[in-house]
Amino acid sequence: MTRGVSPASHVCHAPVIVKRPGKIGNCPNPADYIANAPQIRRAVLDRLRGQSVLSAALFDKDLLTELAKFAAYLQLKRFEVGTAMSDKIMAAAFFEPSTRTRLSFESAMLHLGGKTISVADGKTTGVAKGESMRDIGQMFNSYADVVVVRHTEQAALSEMCEYLRVPLINGGNGSDEHPTQALADWYALLKWRPEITFGRLPEEFRLNIGIIGTPGNMRTVKSFLMLALLFHENINRITIFSEMADPLGEELRELTKNSPITIGFSQSLTQNLEYLDVIYMNAIAYIGDGYRFFADAFSLSSESRIKPDTVILHPLARGVELDVSLDDTPHNLYFNQADGAVWIRQALLLAIFGRVADVVPPDMLDNEPLPNT
Amino acid sequence: MTRGVSPASHVCHAPVIVKRPGKIGNCPNPADYIANAPQIRRAVLDRLRGQSVLSAALFDKDLLTELAKFAAYLQLKRFEVGTAMSDKIMAAAFFEPSTRTRLSFESAMLHLGGKTISVADGKTTGVAKGESMRDIGQMFNSYADVVVVRHTEQAALSEMCEYLRVPLINGGNGSDEHPTQALADWYALLKWRPEITFGRLPEEFRLNIGIIGTPGNMRTVKSFLMLALLFHENINRITIFSEMADPLGEELRELTKNSPITIGFSQSLTQNLEYLDVIYMNAIAYIGDGYRFFADAFSLSSESRIKPDTVILHPLARGVELDVSLDDTPHNLYFNQADGAVWIRQALLLAIFGRVADVVPPDMLDNEPLPNT
Amino acid sequence: MTRGVSPASHVCHAPVIVKRPGKIGNCPNPADYIANAPQIRRAVLDRLRGQSVLSAALFDKDLLTELAKFAAYLQLKRFEVGTAMSDKIMAAAFFEPSTRTRLSFESAMLHLGGKTISVADGKTTGVAKGESMRDIGQMFNSYADVVVVRHTEQAALSEMCEYLRVPLINGGNGSDEHPTQALADWYALLKWRPEITFGRLPEEFRLNIGIIGTPGNMRTVKSFLMLALLFHENINRITIFSEMADPLGEELRELTKNSPITIGFSQSLTQNLEYLDVIYMNAIAYIGDGYRFFADAFSLSSESRIKPDTVILHPLARGVELDVSLDDTPHNLYFNQADGAVWIRQALLLAIFGRVADVVPPDMLDNEPLPNT
């Protein structure tokens, strides 16, 4: 046998091996979440069938709980989903550029065997020529079975819905909402403390949440706050850290005033750090017609006096407000939050297409109908 | 059994449901078109096997008829096509940005189980560095089985073909042609009036078509006009509404002078509206080295004195020339035209790859060879 | 039977058929390469399993030989690979725009049944907002199973690896390296002269290679030169044609000084042409913070006094330095080099994912373990 290659061949340089790191930060096990209620309530998730997701207000506690359970199973790779969406096309229409949200949705759809078409940059579209969002909505009817949209304008999405016959998912619209980011945020928190859904925390352990930012004009914190209201039984207080006079704005003021959760305001993060169990940070706010960096006054690092078991969320990309010294600490739930986004979005897509029962084995499915209301 | 979720949980806000609209405008049934000649003539479509589509001049009446029938079956989802192209890759090379045409082709290819690679913006390519179209054509040999190209330069596509060994489809080249847009235009008209293909209209019902624009330098109307000549038996007159001295240009003047169809010219749309059965509008013309909006003088709205059964075509995106008040009227064939584009492009791709017989059931296939000529 | 279409229908213009060309240039048969050692040494390719590819220094002669053999089989379509990667997602993250490398990798992945997500333009990403490459690396953990990256900064890739848990492939980083381009270069040369791997050329036939460019700051020639050192038994001399004082730079000077290959320098290409068997050209160099065209002084055309059996390599896109008059000559190995890139990248991806044995039939697989070292 000749091989022509001498095993003793002169090697000019030792092959360079790149070391790959392990996971860092706080990585709660999805299995802990589903342990509380293993079966998936089909009738609850079926409420999403054919639905557009414009606002976090689409979700109530039941729906968010079942969606998070479904996501946990997907993350644990318990279900066969590789061809579940093979006949479906998702359009990712990002008229405002974004990498994380677009790639996350595309990755979610591809994981499910679906297909994707994309607009990565609004400047390459008819929008640049002054086309109306309504006509753009009509366009997607022919091309896709679901459309994920990001846009700088708050009104763009509802305008798009006027002629759009397939479900639309809000991937962030101006200063309004980012509902699937909020799903990812709460998916991380629910895995971290399953009791938020599945129990009632003793009064002294009810959560104190700090939000750094102005929910009234920052879409991620707005949607996050709206979902927080669903878990009022286990949240003691939400403190908003902002330099603005009216960080809530009218819509959220209306929503929060009916909530049993105490909403507080502060301009001093450092003085309140020792009370906070969850800190939600954000880098930028969309104000008027552009983005403003929002971080200077409120920054955290491993030097900050955070409680040992406090977790930090951040939708990323981050600026200087969130120091890398926190990355390799248990406070870092933000990487887990990012990792989970792709799974909760898979769960959402499967539910919108009514394919829950196609991928969940029958014995894992609770087929009880919804109670009459 | 514990579920941990109280059905009576406090809901802070009623879940928001977004209403989705139905179809609007004129939506002829594809079934009416194929009722006239149900079998697909394989030998006719096989003429497209391995062909590049640079010009509408590739098509004669037989070929367009069979392609439209094939598209109608695909639109009606009568054939299994989900994996028909699973071994093929389509490159969408849009050196001039476009959303509609690119997404429509990508969606068509994905519907057929094929794969896509894309250049959505010429500024991110070697073209920006001054690379020749010939070399770019050679590049695609290695990456794709078919290439759809849009370019600002008329000559770019034929230059690209010099080294390209796979079929090329013209997705719009400068002021020259946009042949697959014309296929979509006529696919809509043929579904609307199957007699255009399958009969001979009484003289008083032969169509009067109005084209708003200058076919000599607007690619969509040029390709549309070239296909119109194929149906001379059922077209009485084509009137071109333009402010330019020579709206046809030399090439089209040559083509049209041999046609039995009367070609007329006018600068007054309003005075001629009552005679028109079909009105083709367009928003922009490519003149010299840039686009010029072309709409001001010739606009239509629901106030315009259009005949009750007249249909309007528009390749979209539209400007002010086509008022939204027409959307919810039977004059609106432009949305149907957009919806049909993805199906006629699927038919075209299948024919180019010689896969007609793979997806059409044997009893629907007419295998008679072409008559000797 | 009525068909409604008259075969004698008036045709206004003869359908236009676009001629498609055949292959041009030097196209060595991949079968000639594998004839020397038909079996694929699994243990050698398994060294790539899970590896990141940052530098050409990852490869030794054995690994490059087996990879090229594997690619040759793939190019000859001897193995079934259409679904080999159906559960894998590749992210193509091109923070510096590129068409060839991105489309080539995407095409390779799609050929293997894998999926792709892409950033075609760094300006549409968080990088524009100042996000660190480390965070971007973390982001891809959630979305992809392998990441191909191009970036203007040399340091970007190693920074990205700090948090990245999936393999990273360098698609060109600033003035540093472009290792998979070098794989494509050598794949073309090995097919052209299989003796480079599988034999020992008589002294008078050992290759004289000319490199036009400055390996010290041109990534393609740097990686090409690093792989050239692996074949010192069959290379006599490498002459570097450059106007710069120190075209090698410190790192390559260190590497080359231990090689038995003579490294020479010259500023006159024309005087040395008659000695060269292989000429490697390049259009541009990344110097400082931008690209500089590098071709003026050193150009080749069919008028140049090249030996009849000399071959030219060029990573393309080309500028004026490589005249089109050479395209249709046997000197043109650059088109073959481009065509082969997609196959060697398929081989690389399959090896990184440890799927060699999944696609190579058992009788073609040499399962002998690596010798102990």
Side-chain angles (χ1 to χ4, degrees):
Chain A
M1 170 195 162
T2 57
R3 192 175 276 154
V5 180
S6 151
S9 74
H10 175 99
V11 176
C12 303
H13 35 66
V16 175
I17 304 295
V18 180
K19 224 183 62 181
R20 278 161 46 201
K23 289 200 173 195
I24 64 169
N26 198 325
C27 303
N29 188 346
D32 294 341
Y33 186 63
I34 46 181
N36 295 279
Q39 282 198 316
I40 289 177
R41 296 174 62 199
R42 179 181 178 170
V44 174
L45 288 181
D46 273 355
R47 289 167 41 203
L48 284 172
R49 189 191 286 253
Q51 289 306 318
S52 288
V53 180
L54 266 73
S55 163
L58 180 64
F59 301 92
D60 60 20
K61 186 179 161 187
D62 274 12
L63 189 47
L64 185 49
T65 301
E66 295 306 311
L67 208 57
K69 280 163 55 185
F70 193 19
Y73 278 110
L74 295 171
Q75 185 165 9
L76 292 164
K77 311 202 174 180
R78 296 277 177 84
F79 305 150
E80 273 294 331
V81 296
T83 58
M85 300 276 238
S86 58
D87 58 338
K88 297 296 179 192
I89 297 176
M90 182 193 85
F94 280 67
F95 301 107
E96 174 191 327
S98 155
T99 307
R100 277 195 162 66
T101 308
R102 178 173 66 83
L103 295 185
S104 166
F105 265 109
E106 289 177 1
S107 180
M109 189 66 179
L110 294 174
H111 263 294
L112 300 170
K115 285 95 188 260
T116 61
I117 55 176
S118 297
V119 175
D121 184 358
K123 283 193 293 296
T124 66
T125 71
V127 178
K129 307 176 198 161
E131 187 172 15
S132 76
M133 290 309 293
R134 194 156 54 170
D135 279 13
I136 289 172
Q138 158 63 20
M139 170 178 78
F140 282 108
N141 287 328
S142 321
Y143 305 157
D145 303 293
V146 64
V147 187
V148 182
V149 184
R150 171 166 291 191
H151 203 282
T152 51
E153 298 291 328
Q154 181 168 347
L157 270 61
S158 53
E159 200 190 320
M160 207 167 155
C161 287
E162 284 182 52
Y163 285 170
L164 186 67
R165 300 191 302 272
V166 302
L168 181 149
I169 300 175
N170 181 355
N173 63 328
S175 57
D176 186 27
E177 283 219 47
H178 195 348
T180 66
Q181 175 65 50
L183 292 179
D185 302 341
W186 280 98
Y187 178 50
L189 287 175
L190 297 182
K191 284 182 289 182
W192 170 69
R193 287 280 183 274
E195 302 86 349
I196 298 175
T197 314
F198 295 112
R200 198 173 275 250
L201 294 168
E203 193 161 349
E204 67 271 28
F205 291 111
R206 283 159 61 195
L207 300 177
N208 291 301
I209 298 177
I211 292 178
I212 304 176
T214 53
N217 61 18
M218 292 169 83
R219 62 191 175 210
T220 51
V221 285
K222 178 176 178 186
S223 295
F224 173 80
L225 178 55
M226 289 170 75
L227 293 191
L229 300 179
L230 303 177
F231 301 104
H232 57 87
E233 288 157 333
N234 290 310
I235 296 175
N236 178 52
R237 182 189 168 94
I238 296 174
T239 309
I240 292 161
F241 298 91
S242 167
E243 291 166 322
M244 300 191 78
D246 177 17
L248 275 185
E250 196 179 326
E251 186 186 350
L252 283 175
R253 206 162 44 235
E254 206 59 34
L255 271 180
T256 51
K257 82 175 179 197
N258 297 320
S259 171
I261 302 173
T262 307
I263 309 285
F265 302 90
S266 169
Q267 294 194 15
S268 171
L269 180 60
T270 41
Q271 285 177 21
N272 288 274
L273 271 181
E274 59 194 287
Y275 303 108
L276 298 177
D277 303 295
V278 174
I279 304 171
Y280 195 103
M281 310 188 80
N282 200 346
I284 52 170
Y286 193 89
I287 290 171
D289 57 355
Y291 287 97
R292 193 172 73 94
F293 282 85
F294 183 81
D296 302 356
F298 304 109
S299 295
L300 291 182
S301 75
S302 60
E303 303 291 300
S304 305
R305 287 172 43 223
I306 310 168
K307 286 197 310 170
D309 58 351
T310 295
V311 290
I312 302 170
L313 293 176
H314 193 299
L316 306 177
R318 64 174 148 186
V320 292
E321 74 281 0
L322 178 56
D323 194 77
V324 293
S325 59
L326 284 160
D327 291 358
D328 200 9
T329 73
H331 304 302
N332 171 4
L333 196 63
Y334 39 90
F335 282 176
N336 185 259
Q337 173 191 13
D339 283 340
V342 80
W343 303 106
I344 194 94
R345 285 175 176 139
Q346 286 180 52
L348 181 67
L349 287 165
L350 286 166
I352 287 176
F353 284 108
R355 303 222 160 151
V356 175
D358 296 349
V359 302
V360 180
D363 61 312
M364 309 298 290
L365 215 53
D366 173 352
N367 284 302
E368 202 176 314
L370 293 178
N372 287 332
T373 48
Chain B
M1 171 194 159
T2 56
R3 194 175 275 154
V5 181
S6 150
S9 73
H10 174 99
V11 176
C12 303
H13 36 67
V16 175
I17 303 295
V18 180
K19 224 184 61 181
R20 277 161 45 200
K23 288 201 174 194
I24 64 169
N26 197 326
C27 303
N29 187 345
D32 294 341
Y33 186 63
I34 47 180
N36 294 278
Q39 283 197 316
I40 288 177
R41 297 174 63 200
R42 177 181 180 171
V44 174
L45 288 181
D46 273 356
R47 288 167 41 202
L48 284 172
R49 188 192 286 255
Q51 288 306 317
S52 288
V53 180
L54 266 73
S55 164
L58 180 64
F59 301 93
D60 60 20
K61 187 179 161 186
D62 274 12
L63 189 47
L64 184 48
T65 301
E66 295 306 312
L67 208 57
K69 280 163 54 186
F70 193 20
Y73 278 111
L74 295 171
Q75 186 165 8
L76 292 163
K77 311 202 174 178
R78 297 276 176 85
F79 306 149
E80 274 293 332
V81 296
T83 57
M85 300 277 237
S86 59
D87 58 338
K88 297 295 178 191
I89 297 175
M90 183 192 84
F94 281 66
F95 301 107
E96 173 191 327
S98 157
T99 307
R100 278 196 161 65
T101 308
R102 177 172 67 84
L103 294 185
S104 166
F105 265 109
E106 289 177 2
S107 180
M109 190 66 179
L110 295 174
H111 263 294
L112 300 170
K115 285 95 187 259
T116 61
I117 55 176
S118 297
V119 175
D121 184 357
K123 285 193 291 296
T124 66
T125 70
V127 177
K129 307 177 199 158
E131 187 172 14
S132 76
M133 291 306 294
R134 195 156 55 170
D135 279 13
I136 289 172
Q138 157 65 20
M139 170 179 78
F140 282 108
N141 287 328
S142 321
Y143 304 157
D145 302 293
V146 64
V147 187
V148 181
V149 184
R150 171 166 291 192
H151 203 281
T152 51
E153 299 290 327
Q154 181 169 345
L157 271 62
S158 53
E159 199 190 322
M160 207 168 155
C161 286
E162 284 181 53
Y163 285 170
L164 186 67
R165 298 191 303 272
V166 302
L168 180 151
I169 300 175
N170 181 355
N173 62 327
S175 58
D176 186 28
E177 284 219 47
H178 195 348
T180 66
Q181 174 65 49
L183 292 178
D185 302 340
W186 281 97
Y187 178 51
L189 286 176
L190 297 183
K191 284 182 288 182
W192 169 69
R193 287 281 182 273
E195 302 85 349
I196 298 174
T197 314
F198 294 113
R200 197 175 275 250
L201 293 168
E203 192 160 349
E204 66 272 28
F205 291 112
R206 283 158 61 192
L207 300 176
N208 290 301
I209 298 178
I211 292 178
I212 303 178
T214 51
N217 61 18
M218 291 169 83
R219 61 191 176 211
T220 52
V221 286
K222 178 176 178 187
S223 296
F224 173 79
L225 178 54
M226 288 171 76
L227 293 191
L229 300 179
L230 303 177
F231 301 105
H232 58 87
E233 288 157 333
N234 289 312
I235 296 174
N236 178 52
R237 183 188 167 93
I238 296 174
T239 309
I240 292 161
F241 298 90
S242 167
E243 291 165 322
M244 298 191 79
D246 176 18
L248 276 185
E250 196 180 327
E251 185 186 351
L252 284 175
R253 205 162 46 237
E254 206 59 35
L255 272 179
T256 52
K257 82 175 179 199
N258 298 320
S259 171
I261 302 173
T262 306
I263 309 286
F265 301 90
S266 169
Q267 295 194 13
S268 171
L269 181 60
T270 43
Q271 285 178 20
N272 288 273
L273 270 181
E274 58 193 288
Y275 303 108
L276 298 176
D277 305 295
V278 174
I279 304 171
Y280 196 105
M281 311 188 79
N282 200 347
I284 51 170
Y286 194 89
I287 291 170
D289 57 353
Y291 287 97
R292 192 172 73 92
F293 281 86
F294 183 80
D296 301 356
F298 305 110
S299 294
L300 291 182
S301 77
S302 61
E303 302 292 300
S304 306
R305 288 173 43 223
I306 310 168
K307 288 197 307 170
D309 59 351
T310 295
V311 290
I312 300 170
L313 293 175
H314 193 301
L316 307 175
R318 64 176 149 185
V320 292
E321 74 281 0
L322 177 57
D323 194 77
V324 293
S325 59
L326 284 160
D327 291 359
D328 200 8
T329 73
H331 303 303
N332 171 3
L333 196 63
Y334 41 89
F335 281 177
N336 184 259
Q337 173 193 13
D339 282 342
V342 79
W343 303 106
I344 195 93
R345 283 173 177 142
Q346 285 181 52
L348 181 68
L349 288 166
L350 286 166
I352 287 175
F353 283 109
R355 303 219 162 155
V356 175
D358 296 349
V359 301
V360 181
D363 61 312
M364 308 297 290
L365 215 52
D366 172 352
N367 283 303
E368 202 175 314
L370 294 177
N372 287 333
T373 48
Chain C
M1 170 197 160
T2 56
R3 192 175 276 153
V5 180
S6 150
S9 72
H10 174 100
V11 176
C12 303
H13 34 67
V16 175
I17 302 295
V18 180
K19 226 184 62 182
R20 277 161 45 203
K23 289 201 174 194
I24 63 168
N26 197 326
C27 303
N29 187 345
D32 294 341
Y33 186 65
I34 47 181
N36 295 278
Q39 283 197 316
I40 289 177
R41 298 173 62 198
R42 178 181 179 171
V44 174
L45 288 181
D46 273 357
R47 288 168 41 203
L48 284 172
R49 188 192 287 255
Q51 287 306 317
S52 288
V53 180
L54 267 74
S55 163
L58 181 63
F59 301 93
D60 60 20
K61 187 179 162 187
D62 274 13
L63 189 47
L64 184 47
T65 300
E66 295 305 311
L67 208 58
K69 280 163 54 185
F70 193 20
Y73 279 110
L74 295 171
Q75 185 164 8
L76 292 163
K77 312 202 173 176
R78 297 277 176 83
F79 306 150
E80 274 294 330
V81 296
T83 58
M85 300 277 238
S86 58
D87 58 338
K88 297 295 179 191
I89 297 176
M90 182 193 85
F94 280 67
F95 302 107
E96 173 191 327
S98 155
T99 307
R100 277 194 162 68
T101 307
R102 177 173 66 84
L103 294 186
S104 166
F105 265 109
E106 289 177 1
S107 179
M109 190 65 179
L110 294 174
H111 263 295
L112 300 171
K115 287 94 187 259
T116 61
I117 55 176
S118 297
V119 174
D121 184 357
K123 284 193 293 296
T124 66
T125 71
V127 177
K129 307 176 198 159
E131 187 172 14
S132 76
M133 291 307 294
R134 193 156 56 169
D135 279 13
I136 289 172
Q138 159 63 20
M139 170 179 78
F140 282 108
N141 287 329
S142 320
Y143 305 158
D145 302 292
V146 64
V147 187
V148 181
V149 184
R150 171 167 292 194
H151 203 281
T152 50
E153 297 292 327
Q154 181 168 346
L157 271 61
S158 52
E159 200 189 322
M160 206 168 156
C161 286
E162 283 181 55
Y163 285 170
L164 186 67
R165 299 190 303 272
V166 301
L168 181 151
I169 300 174
N170 181 354
N173 63 328
S175 57
D176 186 27
E177 284 219 48
H178 195 347
T180 66
Q181 174 65 48
L183 292 179
D185 303 340
W186 280 98
Y187 178 50
L189 286 176
L190 297 183
K191 285 182 288 182
W192 169 69
R193 288 280 182 276
E195 302 86 349
I196 298 175
T197 314
F198 294 113
R200 196 173 276 250
L201 293 167
E203 192 160 349
E204 66 272 27
F205 291 112
R206 284 158 60 193
L207 299 177
N208 290 300
I209 298 178
I211 291 177
I212 304 177
T214 51
N217 60 18
M218 291 169 82
R219 62 192 175 209
T220 52
V221 286
K222 179 176 177 186
S223 295
F224 173 80
L225 177 56
M226 288 170 76
L227 292 191
L229 300 178
L230 303 176
F231 302 105
H232 58 87
E233 288 157 332
N234 290 310
I235 296 175
N236 179 52
R237 183 186 166 96
I238 296 175
T239 310
I240 291 161
F241 298 90
S242 167
E243 290 166 322
M244 299 191 78
D246 176 18
L248 276 186
E250 195 179 327
E251 186 186 351
L252 283 175
R253 206 162 43 236
E254 206 60 34
L255 272 180
T256 51
K257 81 175 180 198
N258 297 321
S259 171
I261 302 174
T262 307
I263 309 285
F265 302 90
S266 169
Q267 296 195 14
S268 170
L269 180 60
T270 43
Q271 285 176 21
N272 287 273
L273 271 181
E274 60 193 288
Y275 303 108
L276 298 176
D277 304 295
V278 174
I279 304 171
Y280 195 103
M281 311 187 80
N282 201 345
I284 51 169
Y286 194 88
I287 291 172
D289 57 353
Y291 287 97
R292 194 172 71 93
F293 282 86
F294 183 80
D296 301 355
F298 305 109
S299 294
L300 290 182
S301 76
S302 61
E303 302 293 299
S304 305
R305 287 172 45 222
I306 309 168
K307 286 197 308 169
D309 59 349
T310 296
V311 289
I312 301 170
L313 294 175
H314 192 301
L316 307 175
R318 64 175 149 187
V320 292
E321 74 281 0
L322 177 57
D323 194 77
V324 292
S325 59
L326 285 160
D327 291 359
D328 200 8
T329 73
H331 303 303
N332 170 3
L333 196 64
Y334 41 89
F335 281 177
N336 184 259
Q337 174 192 12
D339 283 340
V342 79
W343 303 107
I344 195 93
R345 283 174 177 140
Q346 286 180 51
L348 181 69
L349 287 166
L350 286 166
I352 287 175
F353 283 108
R355 302 222 161 152
V356 175
D358 295 349
V359 300
V360 180
D363 61 313
M364 308 297 291
L365 215 53
D366 172 353
N367 283 303
E368 202 175 314
L370 293 177
N372 288 331
T373 48

